[in-house]
Amino acid sequence: MGLGNPYNATNLLAHGLKRASCINYAQIPTTEQLRKERMNTLLSTQKGRDFFINAAYGVVFKIHSNLLIGQSKPFEQVAYPNNDLGAEKKVDLPEDVHPLLVDRMVCFIYTSAYSVDIDATNAKVVTLQHHTSLPPNTNRNSFELAMDYTQFQVAMYGLGEQLEYSTLMSYAFSRLVQYFLHGSKDQSRVKQLIKIVFQPRGSPYRLCKDEVGALKGLGIAAVLVHEKLHWSGLLRDQFRDLLADELDQPMWKEYWACYKQVKD
């Protein structure tokens, strides 16, 4: 017997009485599917976009201000000062916030997800996807960002911190968790994460504040997981020696203290 039509009263009754062999729920759009379809519609239309985000290099993004409710606090305060909805609303981001980070954040505002789309050959993000306008004599590929996957996700986490955007932070963190705990076993990738998150505060290589230490904890967890499951004794020793050589003394001391605390 084939899958039953979920909109058929007989099938629904049989299902309610637990006598239906199977109902084809694929024909019923889930709440998540409807939400995604709705948000993708908003992302693809220019209607109703009334909030300007001016990013570095003259790149402008225009979005629907109502989608900022409950998201980035600074954006929401600009969009709805004293519930005034009449004036044009815009926010100027600091010059060090790259347009490609803003571009993926705009996608996240609408769809609760974003893609990274790394040019693997050159380890860089290239293409703007959701901008409203560009400065003269530029195109969507004019604003390269020299970052690989790890750096980009950490930078997105940092953007979430800067804008008090907790769901963006959570999403970037979940991507890093998936990558380092369930994906890459490459020691060079794990080393890179450690070197980023254990940089001293204020270093341009740190990419985020990591105020609560979540990314440091992830780095330590990744090392311990791979030491247990994937790296032999020789590989463990090689990784430890490599880190000790490449981290300066304060960074190494902090890393090693965190490592021992978690392991013990």
Side-chain angles (χ1 to χ4, degrees):
M1 182 179 295
L3 296 175
N5 180 353
Y7 298 103
N8 179 277
T10 302
N11 290 336
L12 288 172
L13 176 61
H15 178 72
L17 297 174
K18 299 183 179 180
R19 292 202 299 262
S21 58
C22 192
I23 285 181
N24 184 7
Y25 285 104
Q27 297 182 38
I28 305 176
T30 65
T31 301
E32 176 62 19
Q33 288 170 332
L34 290 172
R35 181 198 62 79
K36 186 174 182 179
E37 180 180 344
R38 169 61 178 161
M39 299 312 289
N40 281 332
T41 299
L42 287 174
L43 183 60
S44 64
T45 183
Q46 293 300 310
K47 294 180 180 178
R49 295 181 182 238
D50 58 349
F51 188 93
F52 292 79
I53 302 176
N54 298 325
Y57 307 112
V59 179
V60 177
F61 300 87
K62 193 175 180 182
I63 66 175
H64 301 86
S65 61
N66 62 319
L67 294 178
L68 298 172
I69 297 172
Q71 301 209 53
S72 167
K73 291 180 181 178
F75 285 3
E76 184 176 351
Q77 289 169 359
V78 172
Y80 298 100
N82 302 317
N83 294 319
D84 178 13
L85 306 182
E88 182 182 278
K89 310 167 186 73
K90 63 181 178 180
V91 60
D92 294 329
L93 295 178
E95 287 293 319
D96 61 352
V97 179
H98 197 280
L100 281 161
L101 297 175
V102 182
D103 186 86
R104 300 314 191 259
M105 180 192 69
V106 167
C107 185
F108 183 81
I109 288 172
Y110 284 89
T111 68
S112 299
Y114 58 79
S115 61
V116 178
D117 304 324
I118 296 291
D119 177 346
T121 303
N122 300 303
K124 61 186 178 183
V125 186
V126 176
T127 305
L128 290 168
Q129 299 172 348
H130 308 295
H131 56 283
T132 302
S133 64
L134 296 170
N137 303 316
T138 64
N139 59 53
R140 62 191 304 175
N141 296 317
S142 297
F143 307 95
E144 296 180 354
L145 180 57
M147 286 185 176
D148 62 17
Y149 182 86
T150 299
Q151 292 169 315
F152 192 87
Q153 294 290 12
V154 173
M156 289 299 290
Y157 184 91
L159 181 60
E161 285 185 307
Q162 186 173 352
L163 298 177
E164 302 175 55
Y165 196 168
S166 59
T167 52
L168 179 62
M169 293 168 60
S170 296
Y171 183 80
F173 185 72
S174 72
R175 298 301 87 202
L176 288 166
V177 168
Q178 182 66 30
Y179 184 70
F180 282 102
L181 298 189
H182 308 294
S184 178
K185 308 174 186 65
D186 187 334
Q187 288 192 343
S188 65
R189 299 295 185 189
V190 179
K191 180 192 70 174
Q192 179 193 31
L193 177 63
I194 295 293
K195 290 181 68 175
I196 291 172
V197 299
F198 281 92
Q199 289 285 334
R201 291 186 182 277
S203 167
Y205 300 104
R206 182 159 172 155
L207 300 178
C208 70
K209 293 180 179 179
D210 193 23
E211 294 283 7
V212 299
L215 297 185
K216 287 182 179 178
L218 173 60
I220 298 297
V223 173
L224 290 170
V225 165
H226 295 316
E227 283 183 345
K228 179 70 173 178
L229 300 178
H230 306 117
W231 298 345
S232 66
L234 178 60
L235 284 175
R236 288 196 298 269
D237 293 341
Q238 287 177 344
F239 182 78
R240 189 172 302 171
D241 292 342
L242 191 64
L243 272 185
D245 289 340
E246 294 195 19
L247 299 182
D248 63 29
Q249 193 61 25
M251 290 169 62
W252 169 254
K253 287 179 65 176
E254 184 183 7
Y255 163 78
W256 190 239
C258 292
Y259 174 92
K260 290 193 293 184
Q261 181 180 11
V262 174
K263 186 174 184 179
D264 295 342

